[in-house]
Amino acid sequence: MFLRVMKGLPVAILLVLLSCHLRALAQQQYAFRFRNDVKIVIDSDTVKDPWAGGLNSPVFSKIDLNNDGTEDLFVYDRTLDKIFTYLAQNKNGQWQWQYAPEYERLFPRDLTGWVLLRDYNRDGRKDIFTKTNAGIKVYKNTTGANNIPAFTQAVDYIRFNNNINLQASSENLPALLDMDNDGDLDILTFDFSGSTTVEYYKNLAVEENLPTDNLKYTLETNWWGKLTKCPHVCNGYLFNSSCRTDGTNHNDGMNLLALDLDGDSDKDILVGGDACPDLVRITNSGTLTNAVLASAGLQLNYPGNTTRASFNYFPAAYYEDVNFDNQPDLLVAPFVRSNINDEVNFTQSSWLYKNMSATNVPAFEFQQRDFLQANMVDAGEQSVPALADVDADGDLDLLLGNRMGSIWFFRNVGTATKAIFKLETKDYLSLTDAGFRDIKPQFADINSDGRLDLILAVTTGNSGSVRYILNTATAGQPFNYALTNIKTLPVGQNIGDVPAFYDLDNDGDQDLILASNVRPTPTSGPLRFYRNTGTAANPNFTLENEAWGNIPAELTRQNSYLIITDLNKDKSPELLLVDDTGEIRIFGNIRQNLNGTFTPVSDILQNPLTEAFEPSKLGNFLAIAAADLNADGLPEIIVGSRTGGIHYLSQQMRGEIVDPEPLPEQTQVVIYPNPVNRDLTLTIQSPDRVTFTLYNLAGQRINIAGNELSNIHRVKVAGLTPGLYLVQVITADFRRKAYKVVVL
């Protein structure tokens, strides 16, 4: 739709047309954005990045995301299969990391196993290396003039000796660096088939004078340094010798970080194995071209002069400057995909050792066990949010269930229009005494008495169950739940089963939808519809449809979690569904189409860098809650995930150019002259450094440069058609406001 604006049309009429146009765009659409400014307080401290989402098994790299000349931080979490991006920001003379999720969705969606960023073609921009079934895939950094990161597949997998794929297990983290100091990127990795010896793949680009984009490798040696790691043995390292083998070798996971630890210019290694809790250092007493590793260079429990880097098993090391002193530091994290027996403390799984050396010989000193994690909500693993006014004070409080069998209770000490969540207890209702695991809380009036009851999907032993506790509080009083009155529903008896309650058939009682990984019949779907065939006060749930909505049961969409709520104020509920793809899918008109086929909408998350709407990619084992947290009539979404953290997604009507994150009150933007003649220059002036975006009445972005942060922007409007425009002003932390401007 395009509205032609005629010169001389009164501004009041233009505004009416604009309002109508935006309302038309908003119909039956869903639009969300990340927010990180809603406060959470823990132990009297305001959490800096409360909604960053938690970390379990992080893999660290550096990359300049915003093209400001300072490298930012890229984190890939192996348990969640998700990217986290942080900008390096200088505030009041102090450098710090600021969570910046808008960059996450600019990376390819198929990154998995492990991800390392390295500049293979020597153009000054970090490229992507990641694991695939065929070996190691590479994406080239093709960022253009707009400075928004972009990547194009360079090779589907790296080959060596002309035609053999270079394999690296998803449990073997390779070292990607210039091993021989000739300027190109070599690869050092443990043997894929047995993880017993180290293979060195030499890059031939310099030797053969090949183009820098070339990825030509040869296997230089399959026994680098004559090091052998005996399988199934913690620290079973041999030098210039082989292990005794009994039966078939199991592929032990092994990690490598290669760096010069002793200042002699050749590469030493730090090694972590899945059979061992500690990091091991092995120095190289040879040369660049002939590595020699020996027992004299072996140091267990590294670093030995300080707190050793020790997890219950499988550490991995990374060498990046994360404290802004231009000296690479040592980061150590567990290289695990799961935590079945709770071997790893996932609330403190990102260990930082500061490099204290003023020379080329690193000297690491322990700093903290919770790098980045200290600045976010991190309940350990598998956080599940629920929202309700638990204390009956007129605003919504937050519960956060987790895998360890407790519920964190955050009281809203703010207001109904501006939430501030303060952690009050990590064991709400003393549920740890009940012996549950994987607690998934939610609220529903299960007996239709006007009071919200507490529903708990839990794991006990090798089975699942859905429990509930009736709310016995009187109207208007804080919720009252007695753990001694807990009861069990006769549905949801498999691990991972999740219910949702809603009066879908509009008969005055609560029906039940069950999400499950278990398929009773070949035609079963991920969701089952149970109609309440009892009464409102005494429900009886009868299975009516085992493939509700005809949503297909796909292998990649396991661990479904659902809620039902009215998202867009049309008095018709939507189904929100998440699964292991990381997508939030929204299905509308479900009550009107109760026995039909549902159609999903997934491009709901707007990226402020591109203004495009995209599917979310929030990782696996997701859980969601929705409620209106700012009294604008539109529910916000809280997302919990496997990493124990939470994300906050604010909603706006699609087509609205004004973001719900307002500019700070002290930011007084002045735009003049307004109206502006086309032979003049429009000035945008702000006390804070801002960027701007210009839109016409059709909501189309006008290609006028405003991407650099500045206190003053001067805009030439000579090429614009006369009419009404919107100038969206954006601060460095992505708060924004739109201003109307008339061009004559």
Side-chain angles (χ1 to χ4, degrees), residues 1-198:
M1 176 180 178
F2 182 81
L3 299 179
R4 183 178 299 276
V5 181
M6 300 187 65
K7 185 174 180 179
L9 195 62
V11 172
I13 296 177
L14 293 175
L15 295 180
V16 171
L17 291 173
L18 176 63
S19 176
C20 294
H21 171 60
L22 294 182
R23 283 197 299 270
L25 287 175
Q27 291 178 356
Q28 298 301 316
Q29 300 293 332
Y30 311 100
F32 292 87
R33 283 192 178 179
F34 280 105
R35 286 187 66 178
N36 200 29
D37 63 330
V38 175
K39 291 182 179 180
I40 291 183
V41 179
I42 297 179
D43 295 331
S44 300
D45 294 325
T46 300
V47 182
K48 178 178 171 294
D49 278 320
W51 306 95
L55 293 174
N56 284 351
S57 182
V59 178
F60 297 96
S61 297
K62 298 281 287 293
I63 182 174
D64 189 354
L65 292 169
N66 56 357
N67 202 43
D68 65 351
T70 299
E71 283 202 314
D72 307 298
L73 191 58
F74 171 98
V75 185
Y76 171 78
D77 192 283
R78 281 170 46 81
T79 67
L80 188 60
D81 193 26
K82 181 189 178 298
I83 293 165
F84 297 83
T85 50
Y86 285 80
L87 289 179
Q89 291 193 343
N90 192 319
K91 292 188 176 181
N92 301 320
Q94 296 292 323
W95 284 96
Q96 61 185 17
W97 296 113
Q98 179 66 54
Y99 182 52
E102 61 272 13
Y103 290 93
E104 296 170 358
R105 285 164 287 148
L106 303 177
F107 286 81
R109 295 182 66 87
D110 63 346
L111 305 184
T112 188
W114 49 259
V115 184
L116 293 171
L117 306 186
R118 302 288 188 268
D119 180 12
Y120 82 89
N121 58 356
R122 292 167 276 165
D123 64 353
R125 291 173 169 167
K126 295 287 184 69
D127 309 295
I128 301 173
F129 290 72
T130 189
K131 177 70 183 82
T132 72
N133 291 334
I136 300 176
K137 179 184 286 190
V138 181
Y139 286 92
K140 182 169 67 173
N141 190 329
T142 55
T143 301
N146 62 2
N147 295 326
I148 296 176
F151 302 91
T152 303
Q153 181 175 306
V155 293
D156 52 354
Y157 59 88
I158 294 176
R159 298 158 177 83
F160 72 96
N161 295 356
N162 295 323
N163 59 3
I164 306 173
N165 59 328
L166 195 165
Q167 281 284 7
S169 166
S170 62
E171 302 305 309
N172 286 4
L173 184 68
L176 308 176
L177 77 165
D178 184 3
M179 290 290 296
D180 51 7
N181 293 349
D182 66 351
D184 53 26
L185 195 71
D186 308 304
I187 299 176
L188 201 67
T189 183
F190 270 92
D191 170 32
F192 170 76
S193 60
S195 297
T196 57
T197 63
V198 178

Side-chain angles (χ1 to χ4, degrees), residues 336-447:
V336 298
R337 296 302 295 266
S338 62
N339 196 24
I340 296 174
N341 296 316
D342 304 325
E343 293 94 341
V344 179
N345 177 6
F346 276 155
T347 64
Q348 295 184 334
S349 57
S350 179
W351 291 25
L352 170 62
Y353 295 80
K354 181 180 179 180
N355 189 347
M356 306 298 292
S357 176
T359 70
N360 61 345
V361 179
F364 300 118
E365 181 177 294
F366 176 74
Q367 297 292 298
Q368 63 184 115
R369 289 179 170 86
D370 53 0
F371 172 66
L372 297 181
Q373 292 173 301
N375 295 328
M376 61 178 71
V377 173
D378 193 335
E381 195 172 8
Q382 291 180 213
S383 54
V384 181
L387 293 162
D389 187 4
V390 175
D391 54 9
D393 66 349
D395 52 35
L396 296 173
D397 308 298
L398 172 65
L399 298 188
L400 197 63
N402 58 65
R403 185 172 185 269
M404 299 306 294
S406 70
I407 294 178
W408 291 21
F409 173 52
F410 295 84
R411 189 184 302 277
N412 188 346
V413 296
T415 66
T417 59
K418 188 175 183 179
I420 300 174
F421 295 109
K422 184 178 186 343
L423 179 62
E424 189 162 293
T425 177
K426 293 184 179 181
D427 193 12
Y428 180 66
L429 299 183
S430 300
L431 278 166
T432 53
D433 297 336
F436 298 143
R437 300 274 294 178
D438 305 319
I439 294 183
K440 301 177 178 66
Q442 60 178 277
F443 295 98
D445 184 5
I446 196 169
N447 59 351

Side-chain angles (χ1 to χ4, degrees), residues 274-291:
D274 69 359
C276 212
D278 301 311
L279 200 61
V280 173
R281 184 212 68 181
I282 308 176
T283 54
N284 178 4
S285 59
T287 66
L288 285 173
T289 57
N290 183 29

